[in-house]
Amino acid sequence: MEIHAPDKPIHSRKEFLFHMFTVVLGILIALAMEGGVEWFHHRALVREARTNITEEIRRNKETVDESIKDIHQREAELSHIIDLMNKVAKDRNAIKNQSMHFGIAMHDLYSTAWQTATTSGAVTYMKYDELIRYTDVYLTQQAFTSMQEQALSRMIDGGALIGITMKEDDMKKVPVEKFQAIAQAAYKEMIVQRALEDISGALTKAYADLLKSQ
């Protein structure tokens, strides 16, 4: 913004006041225009961030919905292992023609749009209640990811224990404690899977509520 001196000398109080009025009016108009441009920029920033976050949440919801099916399958596999180990501890022949398998499918949830909105400053122009909803959803996502990592760690430990045990040619030589250890490992993994199921249910509901409000 530039303020220019009068083109000619001021000879009266009236001319001075008119000149000052012109200067002040020009400043106010310039500030108003600048504020308007900033306002429209902020609105555009929030609108773009909201669109990107909504699309990201929609995709993440599809991922979590799919993960729930995998969790149920995993729980069934673990339940089978627990029951089988309890039977084998009493009767080694119970393991004949039985398979012991359980794995885990890692499901990636993305937060790129949310991180971008945070970095760009778009979140500072969002309404408080909207910001709280987004924050809650992405924090729950972090809990989901963390629980998946725990499940993977326990799966690796339990799978290794099963692999070592099943290498024995004669199951009658395997101590009962090993079968009990497998059952215990599977039970601990079951607890993690059920916690993951609870988080998944809460997360998919939060996604649905958020998408409905958009």
Side-chain angles (χ1 to χ4, degrees):
M1 183 187 301
E2 295 182 2
I3 300 176
H4 299 281
D7 296 332
K8 57 183 179 178
I10 297 175
H11 298 291
S12 67
R13 185 176 181 182
K14 183 178 180 180
E15 290 181 358
F16 172 75
L17 292 175
F18 177 77
H19 177 69
M20 290 301 297
F21 172 76
T22 303
V23 171
V24 171
L25 182 61
I27 293 173
L28 291 176
I29 292 173
L31 290 175
M33 290 180 64
E34 184 179 355
V37 170
E38 284 293 319
W39 183 75
F40 280 110
H41 172 69
H42 295 161
R43 287 197 64 182
L45 194 63
V46 171
R47 185 166 56 251
E48 182 181 4
R50 188 182 291 122
T51 299
N52 292 338
I53 290 172
T54 299
E55 181 59 27
E56 184 170 75
I57 285 175
R58 184 176 288 109
R59 292 181 180 180
N60 285 346
K61 184 179 183 303
E62 293 174 356
T63 300
V64 172
D65 289 343
E66 187 65 28
S67 77
I68 294 176
K69 300 176 185 177
D70 292 332
I71 292 169
H72 289 163
Q73 179 181 345
R74 204 99 313 114
E75 289 174 345
E77 293 169 351
L78 291 167
S79 180
H80 169 70
I81 291 173
I82 294 170
D83 291 341
L84 181 59
M85 290 302 96
N86 289 334
K87 292 177 181 177
V88 172
K90 299 175 183 177
D91 179 10
R92 303 303 170 83
N93 292 323
I95 203 169
K96 288 183 179 179
N97 301 320
Q98 294 287 337
S99 63
M100 287 194 297
H101 168 77
F102 73 97
I104 185 171
M106 298 294 288
H107 298 274
D108 294 326
L109 299 182
Y110 296 98
S111 59
T112 305
W114 173 247
Q115 291 173 0
T116 301
T118 302
T119 303
S120 68
V123 295
T124 61
Y125 304 109
M126 291 180 178
K127 294 180 179 179
Y128 180 74
D129 59 339
E130 180 182 24
L131 185 58
I132 288 296
R133 289 198 301 271
Y134 287 145
T135 302
D136 287 345
V137 163
Y138 282 98
L139 285 176
T140 306
Q141 276 192 193
Q142 290 180 13
F144 176 89
T145 301
S146 176
M147 192 60 66
Q148 276 196 130
E149 291 171 354
Q150 289 188 45
L152 176 61
S153 177
R154 290 195 177 280
M155 183 275 291
I156 292 173
D157 293 340
L161 189 59
I162 290 174
I164 293 172
T165 303
M166 295 305 293
K167 284 183 178 179
E168 293 287 346
D169 295 329
D170 187 356
M171 286 293 107
K172 292 182 180 180
K173 295 181 179 179
V174 179
V176 175
E177 289 77 17
K178 279 199 174 182
F179 297 120
Q180 292 174 339
I182 292 174
Q184 187 177 36
Y187 181 73
K188 289 179 179 178
E189 174 67 8
M190 177 74 83
I191 292 174
V192 174
Q193 290 296 320
R194 286 175 177 169
L196 190 57
E197 182 181 4
D198 290 342
I199 294 175
S200 300
L203 190 53
T204 194
K205 183 180 183 305
Y207 284 148
D209 291 344
L210 197 53
L211 291 172
K212 192 182 299 181
S213 68
Q214 298 302 311

